[in-house]
Amino acid sequence: MYELVIIGGGPCGLTAGIYAQRSRLKTLLIEKLGIGGQIATSDLIENYPGFKGISGMGLMKEFEAQAAELALEIKYTEALSIKDRGQYKEIMTPDGSIQAGAVIIATGAKPKRLGVPGEAELIGRGISFCATCDGFFFRDREVAVIGGGDSALKEAIYLSRIVKKVHLIHRRDKFRAEKMLIEKALAEPKFEFHLNKVVKSVKGGVLGIEALELEDTRTHDTSDLPVEGAFIYIGVNPNTGSFDVEKDEFGFIKADKVLMTSMMGVFAAGDCRVTPLRQVATAVGDGALAASEVERYIESCR
Ligand code: NAP
């Protein structure tokens, strides 16, 4: 029986683990895939204080090393559900159940899909959600990046160092990304902007993508944009499907100001919860708060 089980090994979960170990809580961190979470696929992080520029993987290695130094126990398995057993919670996994006094859900989020014809069939054959992973395959080719937020602009700038041309497709004429990124993107000679355009379908075959069918949101005219790769950055969906706690209409977990969910003793922290900002810095803050509130909660149960 653990005092705390943390579900998720991204920046939020690892921070919660570091704080919990320092509080001498008997803690287990569960991770489904690999330590680091979504941010580990980011080529360059420039807004995490203390690091002027570091790769997502590099930053997560620092977090992991600190957690290891504190002997945080990590188990690679999937949390399928959490059952409230009154005095304790039971976390179901494919390898059996785990009991804990409290749980922190820090499962993060995953990229949204466009949901247009051709997209699903061409994932891995031109459609990608990770420029750092797949950008290399498009050296000196023309690619598209879809979206107008931080992810789209950051990854498009990264791709421009590898590819011949980046077609940036955004459904409005205003970007929601941070101003510094917008300035960088506007100054990038390899960019061609396609504003007020949405992707209607992805055209291609066994050999990969041939073109994106675009629609102008004002005139409704359609046209084909020939590209060999398309990187989709249109936001995120939370990894919360299996947890029976209160959520908003998009599936993000509702938590109170100390991050407790609708299930007493179960906390939600980081990108998986309803929050106005999803950054490494905010994930870290959530992880710290959740672990400290778990300590308070465990004390109150004694
Ligand atoms: P985001 O901020 O939600 O932006 C999504 C973008 O995709 C928006 O421009 C949106 O258009 C567009 N979009 C949404 N659905 C669409 C659709 N069906 N078709 C076409 N376009 C669509 O998502 P994100 O950029 O992935 O970022 C997620 C969170 O992570 C944000 O909080 C972001 O700040 C954070 N983040 C931070 C950094 C960093 O280094 N600071 C890096 C990456 C991500 P509209 O603008 O019209 O809504």
Side-chain angles (χ1 to χ4, degrees):
M1 169 105 174
Y2 291 92
E3 288 177 293
L4 169 63
V5 166
I6 299 162
I7 307 173
C12 179
L14 285 171
T15 303
I18 289 167
Y19 273 70
Q21 287 300 96
R22 294 182 60 84
S23 295
R24 303 281 186 236
L25 287 174
K26 187 169 163 46
T27 302
L28 173 72
L29 186 147
I30 295 177
E31 167 56 47
K32 184 165 78 165
L33 289 171
I35 291 294
Q38 265 208 118
I39 198 67
T41 65
S42 192
D43 156 63
L44 181 66
I45 298 163
E46 292 179 301
N47 62 359
Y48 187 69
F51 296 84
K52 276 195 227 154
I54 186 167
S55 70
M57 184 63 88
L59 184 60
M60 285 306 97
K61 287 278 170 217
E62 298 285 341
F63 279 46
E64 193 181 1
Q66 194 171 350
E69 216 168 270
L70 290 162
L72 175 65
E73 187 181 343
I74 297 176
K75 185 176 167 72
Y76 289 92
T77 189
E78 185 177 3
L80 299 172
S81 63
I82 304 168
K83 304 272 179 241
D84 193 350
R85 305 289 188 213
Q87 289 291 60
Y88 66 94
K89 315 293 159 209
E90 193 167 9
I91 300 106
M92 308 302 178
T93 81
D95 313 306
S97 71
I98 301 166
Q99 295 177 358
V103 179
I104 297 174
I105 304 173
T107 45
K110 58 179 169 303
K112 262 190 207 167
R113 294 188 181 188
L114 287 167
V116 298
E119 179 191 37
E121 297 84 327
L122 289 159
I123 289 174
R125 281 187 284 140
I127 292 281
S128 170
F129 301 88
C130 179
T132 333
C133 322
D134 301 327
F136 176 80
F137 298 115
F138 300 95
R139 185 170 292 281
D140 299 325
R141 314 265 175 90
E142 294 200 18
V143 300
V145 171
I146 299 119
D150 285 333
S151 301
L153 266 58
K154 257 181 75 146
E155 303 306 319
I157 291 165
Y158 167 75
L159 283 167
S160 69
R161 303 206 292 265
I162 303 170
V163 303
K164 187 161 111 194
K165 189 167 192 175
V166 178
H167 295 272
L168 198 83
I169 299 161
H170 181 37
R171 65 183 178 183
R172 294 190 293 142
D173 59 2
K174 299 255 179 328
F175 294 104
R176 67 168 66 227
E178 67 173 17
K179 297 287 177 291
M180 267 180 75
L181 276 175
I182 299 174
E183 286 161 17
K184 253 190 186 176
L186 291 174
E188 177 48 63
K190 281 191 188 171
F191 276 25
E192 183 173 332
F193 292 93
H194 303 262
L195 302 180
N196 301 305
K197 299 275 193 300
V198 288
V199 177
K200 291 289 282 179
S201 69
V202 184
K203 296 182 174 176
V206 281
L207 294 178
I209 295 187
E210 286 152 18
L212 299 179
E213 184 192 4
L214 302 184
E215 183 182 81
D216 189 300
T217 55
R218 295 158 307 179
T219 62
H220 301 292
D221 289 344
T222 57
S223 56
D224 279 359
L225 176 71
V227 285
E228 290 178 66
F231 292 82
I232 299 166
Y233 290 104
I234 59 164
V236 291
N237 281 323
N239 299 318
T240 56
S242 48
F243 306 120
D244 198 10
V245 291
E246 213 181 309
K247 298 169 196 162
D248 72 2
E249 70 265 44
F250 308 107
F252 291 98
I253 298 173
K254 292 184 180 176
D256 67 14
K257 67 179 196 300
V258 296
L259 307 185
M260 179 95 81
T261 68
S262 57
M263 195 186 288
M264 181 78 92
V266 176
F267 297 75
D271 285 9
C272 68
R273 77 172 179 100
V274 176
T275 173
L277 190 60
R278 296 191 170 87
Q279 309 274 315
V280 179
T282 51
V284 161
D286 267 19
L289 175 59
S292 121
E293 288 301 322
V294 164
E295 192 184 359
R296 205 190 298 268
Y297 172 78
I298 296 279
E299 280 297 321
S300 74
C301 294
R302 283 199 177 115

